[in-house]
Amino acid sequence: MIHFLLLFSRQGKLRLQKWFTPLSELEKKKVIRDMTLMVLARPPRTSNFLQWRDLKIVYKRYASLYFCTGLEEKDNELLALEMIHRYVELLDKYFGNVCELDIIFNFEKAYFILDEFLMGGEILETSKFAVGGSVEEADTLQETMEEYMSKPAY
Amino acid sequence: MPAVSKGDGMRGLAVFISDIRNCKSKEAEIKRINKELANIRSKFKGDKALDGYSKKKYVCKLLFIFLLGHDIDFGHMEAVNLLSSNKYTEKQIGYLFISVLVNSNSELIRLINNAIKNDLSSRNPTFMCLALHCIANVGSREMAEAFASEIPRILVAGDTMDSVKQSAALCLLRLYKTSPDLVLMGEWTSRVVHLLNDQHMGVVTAAISLITCLSQKNPDEFKTCVSLAVSRLSRIVSSASTDLQDYTYYFVPAPWLSCKLLRLLQCYPPPEDGAVKGRLVECLETILNKAQEPPKSKKVQHSNAKNAILFEAIALIIHYDSEPNLLVRACNQLGQFLQHRETNLRYLALESMCTLASSEFSHEAVKTHIETVINALKTERDVSVRQRAADLLYAMCDRSNAKQIVAEMLSYLETADYSIREEMVLKVAILAEKYAVDYSWYVDTILNLIRIAGDYVSEEVWYRVIQIVINRDDVQGYAAKTVFEALQAPACHENMVKVGGYILGEFGNLIAGDPRSSPLVQFNLLHSKFHLCSVPTRALLLSAYIKFINLFPETKATIQEVLRCDSQIRNSDVELQQRAVEYLKLSSIASTDVLATVLEEMPPFPERESSILAKLKKKKGPGAVSVTEMEDGKREGGELNGGGDRGPDASAMAASNASTPSPSADLLGIRPAAPVSAAPASVGSLLVDVFSEAGPAASSAAVNDEGFLSSAPPSEDPAPPLSEADELLNKFVCKNNGVLFENQLLQIGIKSEYRQNLGRMYLFYGNKTSVQFASFTTTVSYPGELQSQLNVQSKPVEPLVEGGAQIQQVLNIECLTDFSEAPLLNIKFRYGGALQNLTLKLPVTINKFFQPTEMASQDFFQRWKQLSQPQQEAQKIFKANNSMDTEVLKAKLLGLGMALLDNVDPNPENYVCAGVIQTKGQQVGCLLRLEPNAQAQMYRLTLRCSKDSVSRRLCELLAEQF
């Protein structure tokens, strides 16, 4: 199970935080601080894995943004790397050539896309088609409930 | 596409965000935020009702401010209002706000729950999903109470949309994790298992996370998932890379689902059904084969996904630990990865090999990679990888390579990263202790450790070296000499001064004969360090000084002078002052006899689990320790550090009521390392369990009720067929001495004794006739697999046995691993020209290698529960063949070699026993329960052992005994 996913910039600015286990705000701040310090201090061309307390930390840098996730002992690190990659692909598909600014200005969308992909720290749907589909669909759902309900079910 | 205002962009929000980004300072940012908060507050409080769009925009701004790290104390109500909006995006923002800013305000929770309830019953899949997401995100107890019974219904209802099923599965998982008591198993559980068969890959992917978690907690109820998972896995593994369309990830079919399936299977033992097992083995082989195929894509995503499955498959192979062929292949594959150019793969290979090292089938194979691993420790650029290499060296260490590994770890310590030094120090200390054959090596290693990384040597480590030196008199002189030399260094670590002070205070006399280390030289050396040390070390040194006065009366005047000087006797530290005053007084008024009694050498410390090991376990999860310690870890109770933490201080010096430790007790208290001849251990007072050191050898318990070589009535038949041999064998399960075989010509008596995994059997061949036996030969053979399990060595016997004479043969027996067959003894000789040829079974059975284990009732039932996997248990119900007399039963159970535990079973009629079978490779903890039913003349016998084959064999053997 994934415990958290953090997105932060090379300057250590937090861009997105998703927690799958209940933590107090203070604990969250501590995790964020430790993660940014540890990950940003890593020299280039090292592995993507770290051990932190009893969690496995898997991180990867995409352009100016670090994606960093905390896993349980039994979780698969390589798959977590690909989970991050799939999320980046989903963001890219939605925003088109996604960059850090997209996530800053449309943070709520970044959360929605993540929600379609992960739930309770587990993979909800791996198909790019299925995840992207429902987020796009939500965008077109500007009409009222009545209009929506009168449409044929999909 | 524009970066901003995609979909339903909110201009006001974008402006606010860019304002914040343009702030030059933290103060400016706070100012801007406060302005915005005031604005939003006035809008919310204003007379004019806000439209949905504005409400959404302001709630979103509040969310943004919160995520920046500022407190938000209003807006919750507006967010809850958004939940009941009929516009999708408004509802969505409302839910997002609630999910991120959970508020335990019960008033609000009730409103939120209401909104969720409405959405769940809306039958609109998008709204249902939003509601389920909110429950999963918040996951609070109140939500669990409200929805834990509703969600299973949604999950298994026939008309639920696939996307809703997926969300419901993971939502339920979250609730189960936070409030397992509220999620009741029921009719839905069996239908959940069948989601593994669902057409929709997304549904399977989501559902399997739920099933895995439920299976871990209720393995029996979800057993059927094993065969379903195997067939699903087999379909994926054998599918072409394009079959699964969108669920193929960079040419790898369904990597997430594959890994999840392999994880689910790790909740269970290998499938019992041969066909299912065959299919699974085939899958695992295919996965291993695919690793050797050329990649279908050069992209890293392809190889990562493929290798993710491979590592998960290897994890399953290691979990089963029963397919030597697959284990060796897994080990070879990991060996390849150890040299891979991808750092990630090297890291994972080291990690995975750590668990492989604890498997008896692959431990040796892992050891062959030692040079590569040492090289990784020396040359890897990445500290994470080096740490894994150190972990693996620790895991692969055994008696054969301990010196090399400890030396490498010590030399790595000199340059190791600060972050891992303390752990490395603990590991070196543990290995040095665990595999010390030669205790001078142990002392050298620990002193080196203090020299190289003194700052990281925790109290536990230096306490431990002192305990060991105190308890082993063969190393005391060496230790004294070595610390004396180490203290000569101009700058030595304070921990070295502590160890030096303590050891010279106890054993300085052992080196005092040498003028270079005369008492006064020793004292001056210690005292030269005194002023640089902290208060606790000074206190320890003062105790060492008073001990010197007892050891070397010639130093008395010098030391009294030191104690008398103002810096001691008027020291501002109370403890130091008190010691100086008391020691001075003691030395001046007490007679030599009194001094000698008060300052007597420290009594040996009671042997307990190493406190260092306990510390390492505390530092790291169980993942980092090898299998012996995993077993050992099971007994982590409150008393772990009881003896170990007793600091070697003056107060401790006075406490002398320690029990005498057994010379055979292992340093770590894990396994007896003593030779066969060691005296029985007295461990009654210690924490003992199935896996720890056991008490006296069992052999003496078996009472020989038959006179040795007594003249039993001769058998009618000339030569016994092999079939009788089984009966003969059964006769000796609970005893060690007696007549094994007798006919008109020959009588064979045996006498045997066992200690740990070794045994010695004396065979006495008696010629009952008056005629000489010629060409008398005996051979021991091993049926089946026994060759690799048991080692029996015998010397050839004299070929001539005179009439009426008796010859003796000694067999040395070594149990390598557990076994089921008995070795065969073939005897050939010529009696009056006719060849006599008979084959018997040697009464060597697995229970001979038992060491009894005493334990309290509570411990027994805790172990009993830990051995609860179905295959660990063997049970038989059978009719009594012999008298059910209590004393007879007790004698038999004692003869079996286990400890018979009183006051454990709530029913006094029942018998429970505990013991450890000692083999060369491992120890197998065994628990037994025998329930007699006198009325029905029946017994029920249950065995639970840490190894399933042992449970089965013991059950077979014992069912014939009662």
Side-chain angles (χ1 to χ4, degrees):
Chain A
M1 182 191 144
I2 302 162
H3 280 220
F4 57 80
L5 176 68
L6 303 176
L7 271 63
F8 48 84
S9 69
R10 278 164 72 183
Q11 292 75 37
K13 281 247 178 202
L14 189 66
R15 298 304 183 200
L16 184 135
Q17 46 176 316
K18 182 77 184 176
W19 307 91
F20 295 106
T21 49
L23 290 179
S24 71
E25 288 306 316
L26 201 73
E27 289 168 315
K28 287 181 187 171
K29 287 213 167 89
K30 167 120 184 63
V31 175
I32 293 167
R33 205 189 58 220
D34 281 6
M35 287 307 120
T36 46
L37 283 178
M38 275 168 54
V39 170
L40 294 175
R42 295 275 288 168
R45 282 189 295 129
T46 45
S47 70
N48 294 89
F49 314 131
L50 291 168
Q51 183 78 37
W52 180 79
R53 299 191 193 161
D54 56 345
L55 293 186
K56 290 172 168 177
I57 307 301
V58 175
Y59 70 93
K60 188 162 182 182
R61 192 180 127 183
Y62 286 87
S64 59
L65 211 53
Y66 281 92
F67 290 66
C68 171
T69 177
L71 312 173
E72 280 173 2
E73 182 67 38
K74 285 280 188 178
D75 287 327
N76 192 310
E77 291 102 328
L78 287 176
L79 216 51
L81 265 184
E82 294 320 300
M83 180 274 288
I84 290 174
H85 185 75
R86 175 60 25 128
Y87 181 47
V88 173
E89 285 182 348
L90 292 168
L91 292 170
D92 202 59
K93 182 172 168 238
Y94 179 76
F95 289 109
N97 259 333
V98 68
C99 66
E100 194 183 337
L101 277 180
D102 290 317
I103 295 170
I104 296 171
F105 280 97
N106 299 285
F107 70 95
E108 81 285 8
K109 291 285 189 283
Y111 278 102
F112 296 150
I113 294 171
L114 189 60
D115 266 353
E116 296 286 339
F117 176 48
L118 299 180
M119 189 171 177
E122 301 285 352
I123 297 277
L124 177 63
E125 177 56 87
T126 65
S127 156
K128 215 155 116 181
F129 175 76
V131 176
S134 61
V135 178
E136 291 279 355
E137 207 154 351
D139 268 348
T140 63
L141 283 179
Q142 295 292 313
E143 64 273 71
T144 60
M145 178 81 172
E146 289 73 37
E147 286 166 343
Y148 175 80
M149 289 305 277
S150 61
K151 270 188 178 175
Y154 56 93
Chain B
M1 245 180 262
V4 189
S5 80
K6 162 101 188 172
D8 62 326
M10 289 168 276
R11 253 191 66 77
L13 177 65
V15 169
F16 175 59
I17 293 173
S18 65
D19 277 0
I20 294 287
R21 282 176 54 75
N22 289 332
C23 286
K24 294 279 182 287
S25 65
K26 195 79 197 163
E27 291 73 33
E29 184 185 303
I30 292 172
K31 216 174 142 198
R32 178 69 186 86
I33 285 171
N34 285 336
K35 186 179 155 208
E36 193 63 39
L37 286 174
N39 173 41
I40 299 171
R41 213 185 290 264
S42 72
K43 295 282 187 211
F44 283 170
K45 280 194 176 151
D47 307 330
K48 217 175 78 194
L50 286 177
D51 60 10
Y53 171 82
S54 310
K55 217 184 272 173
K56 173 178 85 171
K57 184 178 72 184
Y58 293 131
V59 166
C60 213
K61 277 182 181 176
L62 286 176
L63 186 58
F64 181 79
I65 293 169
F66 178 79
L67 289 170
L68 277 180
H70 302 269
D71 284 341
I72 294 294
D73 54 6
F74 69 102
H76 301 83
M77 205 55 199
E78 285 72 15
V80 173
N81 285 341
L82 284 176
L83 297 185
S84 39
S85 161
N86 52 9
K87 281 205 172 148
Y88 180 77
T89 51
E90 289 169 16
K91 194 187 274 286
Q92 204 180 16
I93 296 285
Y95 272 126
L96 180 60
F97 184 94
I98 300 294
S99 305
V100 176
L101 280 105
V102 207
N103 197 308
S104 52
N105 182 335
S106 60
E107 192 80 7
L108 219 51
I109 283 285
R110 215 174 311 133
L111 290 172
I112 297 167
N113 280 357
N114 251 337
I116 291 175
K117 210 165 278 170
N118 286 338
D119 281 335
L120 282 184
S121 52
S122 70
R123 308 188 60 74
N124 171 336
T126 325
F127 288 7
M128 287 172 86
C129 284
L130 279 181
L132 289 167
H133 269 286
C134 183
I135 300 171
N137 278 323
V138 177
S140 67
R141 182 104 195 142
E142 291 91 340
M143 284 199 174
E145 276 162 5
F147 302 109
S149 55
E150 172 68 12
I151 294 165
R153 263 208 299 281
I154 298 177
L155 176 58
V156 296
D159 57 348
T160 305
M161 304 279 298
D162 287 334
S163 63
V164 179
K165 264 190 208 166
Q166 286 168 264
S167 299
L170 291 181
C171 183
L172 187 57
L173 171 61
R174 176 66 200 269
L175 293 187
Y176 184 71
K177 279 186 179 164
T178 47
S179 315
D181 54 314
L182 294 177
V183 179
L184 303 172
M185 301 294 127
E187 182 252 347
W188 60 274
T189 42
S190 60
R191 300 179 60 183
V192 162
V193 175
H194 284 275
L195 289 177
L196 287 176
N197 267 338
D198 202 281
Q199 295 279 315
H200 192 284
M201 294 284 278
V203 173
V204 193
T205 310
I208 194 167
S209 296
L210 174 66
I211 295 168
T212 305
C213 181
L214 291 170
S215 301
Q216 277 163 350
K217 300 275 164 60
N218 325 279
D220 286 343
E221 225 164 311
F222 288 85
K223 256 203 308 252
T224 46
C225 71
V226 172
S227 61
L228 293 177
V230 170
S231 65
R232 190 89 206 197
L233 179 68
S234 145
R235 266 180 285 158
I236 297 173
V237 169
S238 57
S239 65
S241 56
T242 50
D243 283 358
L244 302 170
Q245 293 155 354
D246 215 22
Y247 291 89
T248 296
Y249 181 85
Y250 290 86
F251 303 101
V252 180
W256 278 278
L257 183 52
S258 305
C259 286
K260 288 264 175 199
L261 287 164
L262 288 162
R263 275 281 287 128
L264 172 60
L265 291 170
Q266 286 170 57
C267 304
Y268 289 92
E272 276 157 22
D273 181 331
V276 176
K277 187 170 180 191
R279 208 163 169 200
L280 178 57
V281 168
E282 215 169 275
C283 285
L284 294 172
E285 278 170 347
T286 313
I287 294 170
L288 286 167
N289 291 341
K290 277 187 182 170
Q292 301 300 330
E293 288 169 10
K296 294 198 176 67
S297 155
K298 284 213 166 64
K299 287 239 163 69
V300 67
Q301 283 76 26
H302 171 72
S303 64
N304 277 353
K306 194 166 123 177
N307 290 327
I309 299 173
L310 179 62
F311 276 108
E312 211 57 69
I314 290 175
L316 181 63
I317 292 170
I318 297 172
H319 166 77
Y320 285 164
D321 197 16
S322 61
E323 300 282 332
N325 173 35
L326 288 175
L327 279 163
V328 168
R329 283 192 68 186
C331 189
N332 291 340
Q333 182 62 54
L334 294 177
Q336 277 182 26
F337 282 155
L338 283 183
Q339 319 248 23
H340 203 278
R341 59 186 169 76
E342 274 266 345
T343 314
N344 284 347
L345 288 180
R346 295 200 300 276
Y347 176 98
L348 295 173
L350 288 166
E351 182 184 67
S352 194
M353 253 195 195
C354 243
T355 44
L356 204 53
S358 55
S359 156
E360 60 169 314
F361 296 112
S362 49
H363 182 79
E364 289 303 315
V366 170
K367 273 167 65 185
T368 59
H369 297 288
I370 185 166
E371 296 303 331
T372 318
V373 183
I374 286 172
N375 201 35
L377 188 66
K378 285 179 176 160
T379 59
E380 281 288 351
R381 286 154 34 94
D382 183 349
V383 56
S384 304
V385 184
R386 291 200 296 274
Q387 182 155 15
R388 288 283 163 261
D391 286 348
L392 177 54
L393 281 181
Y394 178 72
M396 65 161 69
C397 191
D398 60 22
R399 218 166 279 280
S400 72
N401 56 20
K403 284 204 174 172
Q404 185 190 11
I405 285 178
V406 166
E408 292 295 347
M409 285 173 99
L410 267 178
S411 78
Y412 174 63
L413 250 181
E414 305 205 32
T415 53
D417 313 77
Y418 296 109
S419 56
I420 65 172
R421 280 196 181 186
E422 192 186 350
E423 196 185 312
M424 290 285 296
V425 166
L426 287 175
K427 286 184 167 169
V428 170
I430 288 168
L431 292 179
E433 180 180 332
K434 192 164 157 185
Y435 297 115
V437 181
D438 161 9
Y439 281 87
S440 55
W441 172 74
Y442 169 74
V443 170
D444 284 342
T445 305
I446 302 295
L447 294 185
N448 263 327
L449 209 52
I450 296 176
R451 205 173 293 139
I452 294 167
D455 283 342
Y456 298 89
V457 172
S458 56
E459 287 191 330
E460 286 86 346
V461 173
W462 74 263
Y463 285 1
R464 192 69 188 153
V465 68
I466 283 173
Q467 285 175 14
I468 286 167
V469 170
I470 300 258
N471 288 2
R472 303 199 59 98
D473 44 19
D474 54 334
V475 78
Q476 289 160 355
Y478 182 80
K481 180 167 156 282
T482 322
V483 285
F484 179 77
E485 280 161 12
L487 286 172
Q488 311 268 351
C492 70
H493 196 274
E494 193 169 330
N495 280 333
M496 188 70 89
V497 178
K498 289 178 183 163
V499 175
Y502 198 99
I503 289 186
L504 291 181
E506 292 290 326
F507 309 115
N509 55 328
L510 299 176
I511 56 167
D514 188 329
R516 286 166 300 177
S517 53
S518 70
L520 219 49
V521 174
Q522 288 184 37
F523 171 72
N524 287 333
L525 180 62
L526 281 179
H527 199 53
S528 69
K529 315 284 178 192
F530 188 88
H531 303 280
L532 300 168
C533 291
S534 62
V535 169
T537 308
R538 288 186 192 193
L540 187 150
L541 284 177
L542 288 179
S543 300
Y545 296 169
I546 185 74
K547 289 225 151 189
F548 265 39
I549 292 184
N550 174 45
L551 285 182
F552 318 117
E554 66 265 40
T555 59
K556 185 169 172 177
T558 320
I559 291 174
Q560 280 181 331
E561 204 167 310
V562 167
L563 293 175
R564 204 176 291 128
C565 85
D566 279 356
S567 62
Q568 307 297 355
I569 211 157
R570 299 199 174 157
N571 196 295
S572 59
D573 186 276
V574 175
E575 177 68 29
L576 291 184
Q577 194 187 82
Q578 187 176 0
R579 285 192 192 209
V581 170
E582 286 178 3
Y583 290 165
L584 183 61
K585 205 71 189 161
L586 180 68
S587 69
S588 35
I589 59 166
S591 70
T592 342
D593 284 353
V594 172
L595 262 189
T597 315
V598 174
L599 302 171
E600 201 186 356
E601 189 179 303
M602 282 293 287
F605 288 84
E607 278 303 334
R608 291 273 169 100
E609 181 188 26
S610 163
S611 48
I612 320 177
L613 193 55
K615 174 151 176 141
L616 183 70
K617 278 187 219 155
K618 234 188 293 172
K619 258 185 87 66
K620 295 211 84 178
V625 288
S626 71
V627 72
T628 40
E629 291 142 21
M630 293 275 256
E631 288 178 345
D632 205 46
K634 289 176 187 161
R635 60 169 163 160
E636 261 183 306
E639 319 180 45
L640 272 185
N641 301 341
D645 273 354
R646 214 174 84 194
D649 191 28
S651 52
M653 288 186 187
S656 58
N657 54 351
S659 70
T660 314
S662 101
S664 70
D666 174 38
L667 296 173
L668 287 170
I670 290 180
R671 57 180 65 208
V676 177
S677 58
S682 72
V683 289
S685 66
L686 302 185
L687 184 63
V688 180
D689 69 2
V690 182
F691 300 104
S692 69
E693 160 85 36
S699 52
S700 58
V703 186
N704 180 8
D705 53 356
E706 265 171 274
F708 182 56
L709 279 194
S710 64
S711 45
S715 155
E716 300 290 328
D717 306 316
L722 200 61
S723 61
E724 255 187 52
D726 272 318
E727 273 174 51
L728 296 171
L729 182 72
N730 283 329
K731 239 171 80 180
F732 284 86
V733 168
C734 292
K735 62 178 188 176
N736 287 335
N737 305 331
V739 176
L740 175 64
F741 169 76
E742 184 161 15
N743 64 12
Q744 285 169 329
L745 306 177
L746 178 72
Q747 186 190 48
I748 307 175
I750 61 169
K751 200 173 177 181
S752 49
E753 53 188 6
Y754 294 87
R755 289 271 160 79
Q756 292 162 4
N757 72 321
L758 302 175
R760 181 166 295 169
M761 184 180 277
Y762 300 89
L763 290 166
F764 300 89
Y765 304 99
N767 183 345
K768 287 170 70 178
T769 67
S770 52
V771 186
Q772 166 191 86
F773 291 163
S775 319
F776 192 89
T777 55
T778 65
T779 36
V780 176
S781 60
Y782 307 86
E785 290 172 359
L786 194 64
Q787 180 83 53
S788 60
Q789 297 165 333
L790 198 71
N791 189 5
V792 181
Q793 287 175 347
S794 57
K795 282 207 181 111
V797 285
E798 286 294 323
L800 291 178
V801 186
E802 293 299 335
Q806 188 191 75
I807 57 165
Q808 180 186 337
Q809 186 178 29
V810 183
L811 303 180
N812 285 320
I813 302 159
E814 187 188 17
C815 174
L816 304 172
T817 178
D818 70 291
F819 59 92
S820 310
E821 292 288 340
L824 299 176
L825 175 71
N826 177 260
I827 301 149
K828 286 197 186 111
F829 59 91
R830 289 192 177 276
Y831 169 67
L835 178 70
Q836 304 289 324
N837 180 356
L838 58 104
T839 304
L840 299 166
K841 286 194 175 177
L842 274 176
V844 181
T845 45
I846 185 68
N847 64 297
K848 299 293 179 195
F849 302 96
F850 257 130
Q851 299 245 305
T853 309
E854 294 290 343
M855 64 176 77
S857 170
Q858 194 191 353
D859 293 334
F860 181 87
F861 287 106
Q862 196 189 342
R863 313 255 157 262
W864 184 265
K865 261 184 238 143
Q866 277 164 357
L867 297 170
S868 63
Q869 286 182 40
Q871 77 279 13
Q872 288 176 328
E873 185 185 273
Q875 193 170 67
K876 246 189 188 152
I877 298 173
F878 54 89
K879 220 168 167 57
N881 291 322
N882 299 303
S883 144
M884 290 182 85
D885 179 72
T886 316
E887 291 311 309
V888 175
L889 281 179
K890 276 189 178 167
K892 279 194 174 159
L893 288 169
L894 282 171
L896 180 64
M898 298 176 92
L900 182 58
L901 305 175
D902 287 323
N903 304 324
V904 167
D905 200 296
N907 179 350
E909 303 294 319
N910 294 346
Y911 300 88
V912 292
C913 300
V916 183
I917 288 181
Q918 307 276 350
T919 73
K920 189 181 182 208
Q922 63 177 149
Q923 304 185 322
V924 183
C926 305
L927 302 174
L928 172 150
R929 190 177 195 198
L930 181 69
E931 299 159 87
N933 180 340
Q935 217 171 9
Q937 288 286 303
M938 299 281 280
Y939 290 101
R940 182 163 78 171
L941 172 70
T942 315
L943 275 139
R944 286 193 177 184
C945 304
S946 57
K947 202 162 176 197
D948 41 1
S949 50
V950 176
S951 301
R952 284 197 303 273
R953 178 59 183 158
L954 283 174
C955 195
E956 275 169 33
L957 280 174
L958 290 175
E960 303 297 322
Q961 298 301 316
F962 300 104

